[in-house]
Amino acid sequence: MIERWQNWISAFDAAVESDDWERLRPLLTDDATYTVSGAPFACHLVGADAVLAGFRKSIENFDRHFDQRWWFGVGVREFAPDMVTGRAMGVYRLADKPLLHFSAQSQWRFRDGQVAAMNAIYDLMESDSQAALAWLAEYGSTLDPSYS
């Protein structure tokens, strides 16, 4: 299962670099979902088309405005035969501003070798989430991380 997750992450990173989101379609079920909770940009996207459009929107309106971007999994493990869990950690650099960093508890559920559901759960009581929101208020008021 971890290998499938790693394949998904590699393909996602390649889509970010190339802006070719269709390369992810074979890795998603037709009814795939992406749910973000606990953040101002919370969403629930249903269907591969909506998920891909949401990724494209968020990357274009947020990530691409930074000089550098790093995403990686922390504490990733197989939770069940069809599920991988861990923390998705993001670190961003913008000019001479302090680094922006935050993480979300995340789950990826697979069905028949494809991603069927993804969940990112932000906890606004965590200090890194609070610091990220403060960073966005001070330096990123024109950035839009939303997916829908």
Side-chain angles (χ1 to χ4, degrees), residues 24-118:
L24 296 177
R25 188 174 295 279
L27 303 177
L28 292 170
T29 62
D30 290 338
D31 62 345
T33 61
Y34 182 57
T35 304
V36 175
S37 59
F41 50 92
C43 68
H44 180 67
L45 307 176
V46 179
D49 289 340
V51 169
L52 294 174
F55 287 155
R56 179 181 293 115
K57 178 184 185 293
S58 182
I59 296 294
E60 186 63 32
N61 295 327
F62 187 75
D63 298 61
R64 294 210 191 286
H65 294 272
F66 289 86
D67 301 321
Q68 292 178 293
R69 164 197 184 276
W70 301 274
W71 270 95
F72 49 91
V74 177
V76 175
R77 67 186 184 102
E78 186 172 326
F79 184 75
D82 65 345
M83 183 186 293
V84 172
T85 65
R87 290 191 75 82
M89 180 76 191
V91 181
Y92 295 83
R93 179 180 303 283
L94 179 61
D96 62 348
K97 314 264 185 300
L99 288 178
L100 168 64
H101 57 88
F102 51 88
S103 65
Q105 183 61 40
S106 300
Q107 301 170 340
W108 297 264
R109 184 175 297 278
F110 294 83
R111 184 173 69 232
D112 298 326
Q114 296 175 298
V115 177
M118 296 165 281

